[in-house]
């Protein structure tokens, strides 16, 4: 048996300059926007884990139940000794539900939050000593290169949590096409996709009574203060999330409660009361809508599983 927490680490994360430039550019637009990938510093990653445990946030527990229930069927589709590649792996919790059934040759978690990734990869390596773990700290929205994966290896991309919903549909299509390119011919994709449903259920999921989603949203302003010499008064902005039925998405915003000037490293931004910074979209799909998108990206649907309340879907697809 090898030493505990034995895994390889590859670093291709964005420079701090990317965060700076995207924040300055996003706050300079008439419709202010901060990309949601910047939620996930160490504090944000912890807050996201806590969101997943909130009673109103049904996606995590519903998808977990589906993964547990269908692990052996998934293993049958994936075959033996594949490489599991997980973009945006976070705490690497859900893959654990598959490892015993699939017994893959290797697990490749990819995440933008390096410290969090190192900890999570070390824990997986510790708990599954037979498994090769190659952690890659990278921005998954940039071009992916995984040169250490041997040629002719079958890869199964694992993209749970409905993170695909955080891209708008054209970018979701581009991202799925990139995944198809990385896995190559005969590549597989197991992906969790949140389903369209009653507005009340969706609104509650993004407005938990304990205020964890609000803290997660506001943390991006704290991060700007910490890392980019910002002076946001985080008590003067409030979390606002709602389902936009026309666009089929949850929108998250931070709303200025008063007229104020915010500075970020010498740049000034004026806010009136009620002005918004748009921080996230979370698109919801019907099964047909998602399969149509995946087909355009080069995948063929093989199987889809849902829970009895039709809250969440788990799709298995292959590159054609
Ligand atoms: C990561 N992503 C799929 C979550 C979602 O539901 O869109 C992020 C999140 N934002 C607020 N709550 C959860």
């Amino acid at each position: 048996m090898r030493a505990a927490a034995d895994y390889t680490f590859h670093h291709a994360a964005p420079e701090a300059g990317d965060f700076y430039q995207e924040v300055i550019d996003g706050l300079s637009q008439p419709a202010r926007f901060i990309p949601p990938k910047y939620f996930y510093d160490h504090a944000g990653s912890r807050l996201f884990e806590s969101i997943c445990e909130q009673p109103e946030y049904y996606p995590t527990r519903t998808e977990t139940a589906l993964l547990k229930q269908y692990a052996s069927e998934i293993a049958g589709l994936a075959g033996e000794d594949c490489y599991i590649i997980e973009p945006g792996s976070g705490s690497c919790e859900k893959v654990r539900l598959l490892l015993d059934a699939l017994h893959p040759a290797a697990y490749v978690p990819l995440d933008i939050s390096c410290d969090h990734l190192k900890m999570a990869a070390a824990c997986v390596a510790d708990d599954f000593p037979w498994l090769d773990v190659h952690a890659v700290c990278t921005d998954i929205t940039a071009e992916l290169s995984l040169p250490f994966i041997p040629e002719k290896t079958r890869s199964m991309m694992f993209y749970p949590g409905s993170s695909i919903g955080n891209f708008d549909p054209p970018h979701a299509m581009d991202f799925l096409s990139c995944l198809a390119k990385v896995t190559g011919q005969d590549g597989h994709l197991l992906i969790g996709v949140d389903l369209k449903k009653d507005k009340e259920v969706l609104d509650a999921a993004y407005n938990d009574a304990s205020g964890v989603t609000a803290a997660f949203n506001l943390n991006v302003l704290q991060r700007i203060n910490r890392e980019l010499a910002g002076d946001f008064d985080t008590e003067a902005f409030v979390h606002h999330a709602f389902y936009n039925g026309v666009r089929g998405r949850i929108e998250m915003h931070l709303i200025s409660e008063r007229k104020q000037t915010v500075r970020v490293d010498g740049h000034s931004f004026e806010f009136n009361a009620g002005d918004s910074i748009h921080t996230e979209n979370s698109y919801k799909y019907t099964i047909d809508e998602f399969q149509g998108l995946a087909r355009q990206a080069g995948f063929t649907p093989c199987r889809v599983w849902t829970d009895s309340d039709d809250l969440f879907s788990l799709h298995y697809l292959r590159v054609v």
Side-chain angles (χ1 to χ4, degrees):
M1 208 180 9
R2 69 181 179 202
D6 185 7
Y7 65 96
T8 58
F9 183 73
H10 311 257
H11 189 101
E15 301 298 322
D18 296 355
F19 179 34
Y20 174 80
Q21 207 49 55
E22 290 202 58
V23 166
I24 300 298
D25 290 350
L27 292 180
S28 305
Q29 306 298 318
R32 296 179 176 104
F33 190 76
I34 299 173
K37 65 184 174 189
Y38 293 117
F39 281 137
Y40 300 93
D41 64 347
H42 189 67
S45 299
R46 299 302 284 263
L47 284 163
F48 179 64
E49 281 171 25
S50 176
I51 287 176
C52 293
E53 289 163 8
Q54 299 308 305
E56 299 91 338
Y57 195 75
Y58 60 85
T60 311
R61 62 174 178 276
T62 312
E63 185 181 48
T64 298
L66 291 172
L67 289 166
K68 279 187 188 158
Q69 187 173 353
Y70 297 109
S72 52
E73 211 176 313
I74 293 165
L77 290 163
E80 279 172 12
D81 291 334
C82 69
Y83 267 52
I84 300 182
I85 306 169
E86 184 177 358
S89 50
S91 56
C92 305
E93 273 307 313
K94 288 178 189 158
V95 76
R96 291 164 174 269
L97 303 169
L98 299 175
L99 292 175
D100 285 331
L102 266 80
H103 218 278
Y107 171 54
V108 185
L110 318 172
D111 207 283
I112 196 168
S113 176
C114 289
D115 293 345
H116 201 65
L117 172 69
K118 281 183 186 163
M119 260 163 36
C123 290
V124 173
D126 230 2
D127 293 344
F128 297 85
W130 49 267
L131 182 67
D132 263 350
V133 179
H134 298 271
V136 184
C137 186
T138 187
D139 177 355
I140 59 162
T141 59
E143 196 136 303
L144 277 184
S145 160
L146 305 171
F148 54 86
I149 298 186
E151 255 183 73
K152 300 218 166 112
T153 305
R154 193 171 0 83
S155 299
M156 186 190 87
M157 285 282 174
F158 180 46
Y159 199 49
S162 201
S163 296
I164 195 68
N166 296 134
F167 296 93
D168 61 31
H171 287 111
M173 220 275 283
D174 290 347
F175 182 68
L176 292 174
S177 304
C178 289
L179 297 188
K181 226 194 276 165
V182 174
T183 59
Q185 203 67 32
D186 196 37
H188 296 197
L189 169 64
L190 175 64
I191 184 167
V193 183
D194 198 9
L195 293 170
K196 285 188 166 152
K197 60 184 65 63
D198 287 351
K199 178 174 166 53
E200 294 68 43
V201 177
L202 287 163
D203 284 349
Y206 291 81
N207 290 285
D208 61 277
S210 302
V212 183
T213 308
F216 172 73
N217 199 4
L218 284 159
N219 176 62
V220 77
L221 302 185
Q222 278 148 6
R223 181 173 183 192
I224 293 170
N225 288 352
R226 276 193 301 270
E227 295 182 26
L228 304 179
D231 71 352
F232 275 100
D233 174 358
T234 55
E235 310 232 310
F237 284 85
V238 287
H239 165 74
H240 181 51
F242 61 95
Y243 184 62
N244 177 336
V246 174
R247 295 186 179 241
R249 69 190 192 195
I250 287 279
E251 294 186 12
M252 289 215 313
H253 298 257
L254 290 163
I255 307 291
S256 176
E257 290 215 289
R258 56 174 165 78
K259 187 170 166 53
Q260 54 185 318
T261 303
V262 175
R263 276 167 216 85
V264 179
D265 193 32
H267 297 259
S268 291
F269 303 98
E270 303 294 333
F271 290 87
N272 287 314
D275 281 357
S276 147
I277 306 173
H278 192 163
T279 51
E280 188 178 60
N281 290 319
S282 191
Y283 282 84
K284 312 299 169 188
Y285 290 93
T286 64
I287 288 173
D288 284 351
E289 282 170 348
F290 181 73
Q291 288 185 336
L293 194 74
R295 277 200 179 89
Q296 287 180 57
F299 286 99
T300 299
C302 298
R303 188 86 172 83
V304 58
W305 300 277
T306 57
D307 56 291
S308 54
D309 295 321
D310 283 333
L311 293 173
F312 201 88
S313 59
L314 188 60
H315 296 251
Y316 201 97
L317 309 111
R318 280 202 187 114
V319 178
V320 278

